[in-house]
Amino acid sequence: MPHSPVDPIALTADLVRCPSVTPEEGGALVLLEKLLTDAGFDCTRVDRGGVSNLFARWGDKDAARTFGFNGHTDVVPLGDEAAWTMPPFGAEQKDGFLWGRGATDMKSGVAAYVAAAIDFVHTTPPKNGALILTITGDEEGDAVDGTAALLDWMQENGEAMDHCLVGEPTCPDELGQMIKIGRRGSLTAWITLTGEQGHAAYPHRANNPLPAMARLIDRLSSHELDQGTEHFDASTLAAVTIDTGNPATNVIPAQCRATVNIRFNDAHSGASLTDWLQYELDRVTQEFGVKAEMEVKISGESFLTPPGDLSDLVSKAVQAETNMTPELSTTGGTSDARFIKDHCPVVEFGLVGKTMHQVDERVEVALIPRLKTIYGRILRDYFA
């Protein structure tokens, strides 16, 4: 029976209709597993810690070259559902867009690649080549049991990718503008300063932690971490909250809490930044006589896949299909590429990300088959 090409628009719509808000699977991975299995892929569910993940392989384990793809089907919460003008899981098409949570981030990217991969192995199956897809249901959450679980399972079962493409939306305004060849690291620090509660009319009988926290946050915020590196913008620190939980105007509180988030380039590590934060914290405790506690979470270290064969391959495919030379960038937040970079070279390329995480998230319908075409060219060129 002749192969019928997979419609990536219809597949995007089917995935958007799955209410897969992290960590709910919502039917999205079940749908993909059946589609890929029917197309001749060997599929394995790699669920861990209440998170659903899917591993799919076409071709032999001992193939000369194995090309990987990573994506996610989980989505962020809806926010104010009453603010949506279209059903958030309706996948309705209007004004040239397909509307719904996950339409941009990143069910359209997953659909485009799955459609391209299935068509590729049916029309031009690579000799002595293999394809691997790793699809997680926990990219938007803690990500402890998502792509990390898939990579752990792969190592235990002798599975490996030689190169990997992540299908996150990477383009700011037009398809073809940008490829991600790395990402900044992310660190969050929760700081608590403890003084001594007292009456606001008798501040000498208390030890107010607020001036100490104000001094600390000022020092952290005004400090220039760096001026950028060859492939990265300057690192940034943002104070995201300062709070005492004190409703009284005549009470000096005993504690003040603050949270800062640092997005850092390859001039730093999570450990070096933690040491710097601790140094500044120690200075303030000595100056103001307060006690201090700090909890640090490093969501990911900065990483870079240096420009080379993989970025050249993707760039040439993008340029051939869009007539646009993509910028090689490291901007934006974190992605699951931060886990894959320890396994194999990885780059990211996908659609325009303007509406991701927003109310009325939507994707331009005409771009989905164009992305499928780009992904198909990448596969053909890789195995040529």
Side-chain angles (χ1 to χ4, degrees):
M1 177 180 289
H3 168 69
S4 298
V6 179
D7 180 356
I9 299 172
L11 181 53
T12 299
D14 288 341
L15 290 172
V16 169
R17 293 187 189 103
C18 299
S20 53
V21 177
T22 310
E24 296 299 323
E25 185 271 329
L29 292 180
V30 172
L31 187 161
L32 291 175
E33 182 176 6
K34 183 179 187 310
L35 181 63
L36 287 163
T37 300
D38 290 347
F41 286 73
D42 293 324
C43 294
T44 305
R45 283 288 291 273
V46 186
D47 297 357
R48 188 174 83 179
V51 170
S52 300
N53 304 295
L54 178 66
F55 173 89
R57 161 185 280 283
W58 185 95
D60 297 329
K61 270 189 181 182
D62 59 355
R65 300 193 87 193
T66 299
F67 191 79
F69 175 84
N70 175 264
H72 66 90
T73 54
D74 64 314
V75 299
V76 297
L78 302 179
D80 181 6
E81 188 170 356
W84 285 72
T85 63
M86 302 289 281
F89 297 113
E92 295 185 15
Q93 293 188 39
K94 180 183 177 183
D95 300 330
F97 291 91
L98 190 154
W99 301 66
R101 175 60 83 222
T104 293
D105 188 14
M106 59 169 285
K107 291 180 174 180
S108 51
V110 170
Y113 187 86
V114 168
I118 291 175
D119 288 359
F120 175 67
V121 299
H122 279 88
T123 57
T124 52
K127 294 181 180 179
N128 203 16
L131 275 66
I132 283 178
L133 288 84
T134 55
I135 312 296
T136 180
D138 187 32
E139 195 273 346
E140 301 290 7
D142 291 336
V144 173
D145 295 309
T147 294
L150 284 159
L151 292 170
D152 288 345
W153 181 89
M154 288 172 62
Q155 185 173 14
E156 293 164 4
N157 289 271
E159 296 281 1
M161 303 177 287
D162 293 313
H163 299 87
C164 186
L165 174 69
V166 177
E168 287 284 354
T170 58
C171 300
D173 301 296
E174 295 181 68
L175 180 64
Q177 274 184 310
M178 187 175 288
I179 295 169
K180 304 282 188 180
I181 60 169
R183 294 277 188 162
R184 294 181 298 174
S186 177
L187 178 153
T188 301
W190 293 268
I191 299 166
T192 302
L193 297 184
T194 303
E196 186 176 353
Q197 183 173 321
H199 197 299
Y202 305 96
H204 58 286
R205 296 177 180 173
N207 187 3
N208 193 341
L210 271 72
M213 184 65 80
R215 181 71 57 83
L216 176 65
I217 295 301
D218 176 62
R219 285 176 177 167
L220 297 180
S221 299
S222 59
H223 178 76
E224 182 181 76
L225 289 165
D226 56 74
Q227 294 183 335
T229 62
E230 181 180 1
H231 294 288
F232 286 87
D233 291 337
S235 302
T236 60
L237 181 147
V240 295
T241 184
I242 301 175
D243 183 48
T244 64
N246 178 23
T249 60
N250 60 349
V251 174
I252 292 171
Q255 283 191 334
C256 183
R257 297 176 177 84
T259 306
V260 298
N261 180 261
I262 303 176
R263 300 301 171 110
F264 58 95
N265 60 34
D266 53 354
H268 310 274
S269 67
S272 69
L273 289 168
T274 301
D275 289 345
W276 168 65
L277 290 170
Q278 188 63 55
Y279 167 77
E280 294 293 352
L281 197 58
D282 291 344
R283 283 182 65 194
V284 163
T285 59
Q286 292 169 9
E287 290 173 21
F288 289 85
V290 295
K291 297 178 181 178
E293 295 178 9
M294 181 172 67
E295 177 186 350
V296 174
K297 178 181 178 181
I298 301 166
S299 300
E301 299 285 351
S302 67
F303 72 93
L304 177 73
T305 298
D309 291 344
L310 181 57
S311 55
D312 288 348
L313 173 86
V314 177
S315 293
K316 288 176 182 176
V318 171
Q319 189 171 18
E321 297 295 339
T322 66
N323 293 319
M324 187 177 295
T325 301
E327 175 188 353
L328 302 183
S329 172
T330 58
T331 57
T334 58
S335 76
D336 276 3
R338 70 189 189 272
F339 303 116
I340 299 166
K341 53 91 174 172
D342 293 326
H343 177 90
C344 68
V346 57
V347 299
E348 304 173 53
F349 179 74
L351 292 176
V352 176
K354 281 183 179 179
T355 66
M356 56 183 176
H357 294 201
Q358 294 184 1
V359 167
D360 280 341
E361 182 177 349
R362 57 199 179 275
V363 61
E364 190 174 343
V365 174
L367 296 184
I368 303 174
R370 290 183 64 195
L371 182 62
K372 174 188 173 181
T373 301
I374 293 170
Y375 285 159
R377 181 180 283 270
I378 291 170
L379 288 171
R380 291 194 304 274
D381 292 349
Y382 184 81
F383 290 104

